[in-house]
Every structure is written in structure tokens, then in C-alpha cells.
Amino acid sequence: EGRMVLVLCNLKARKLAGFPSHGMVLCASNEDHSVVKLVSVPVEAKIGERVTVPGFNFEGEEGAPFAENKVGKKKVFE
């Protein structure tokens, strides 16, 4: 409670507690998934702002958001 989180949006709808959800909170884990933590929000980030990844080009067609039906089929950062 009272904490900002990063949310992946525009995902294909999935039922969560009986309601459709189009997003998920971004977490990271160690290699064997025994430790899972929320990814920290950049200090200067504002609510609703698009957060980018350093070293990833978000300009042009490659940086455009994926359609919701394609996000579930791709591992974008692997």
C-alpha cells in the first residue's frame, strides 16, 4: 500500500479474481525463481508515464507497443 509499481499494459485479457485484467505488475526473480521482487520505479517517474529501458530504442516501428494479442506470444526482452 502506498507504493508505486511498474505495470505492463495492453496485455490480452485474463480473468483475475473473476474480473478481466489487461496488465500485470513487473517483477524480477533470481535464476531458480526462489526470490521474486517488484521492479523499482525510477525516482523521477510520474503516475501513468511510459517508462523506458536504457539501451532499448523506443523510436520508430520497433519501439511501438505490441498489439495485445501478440504480447502473450512473444518474450520481448529475452
Side-chain angles (χ1 to χ4, degrees):
E1 187 174 319
R3 181 175 177 172
M4 289 179 58
V5 296
L6 293 175
V7 178
L8 296 174
C9 300
N10 202 31
L11 302 176
K12 186 174 181 179
R14 301 273 193 243
K15 291 273 183 163
L16 184 65
F19 297 95
S21 173
H22 292 271
M24 68 174 68
V25 175
L26 186 61
C27 295
S29 70
N30 60 355
E31 196 169 323
D32 68 359
H33 304 291
S34 61
V35 178
V36 178
K37 294 184 178 184
L38 293 170
V39 174
S40 296
V41 176
V43 176
E44 68 280 356
K46 295 177 177 62
I47 294 173
E49 180 179 43
R50 184 177 184 189
V51 177
T52 59
V53 178
F56 187 83
N57 182 10
F58 287 91
E59 299 298 322
E61 191 175 314
E62 284 189 10
F66 290 103
E68 81 169 26
N69 62 341
K70 292 190 177 189
V71 173
K73 298 176 186 173
K74 291 190 173 210
K75 293 186 176 183
V76 178
F77 294 109
E78 288 187 2

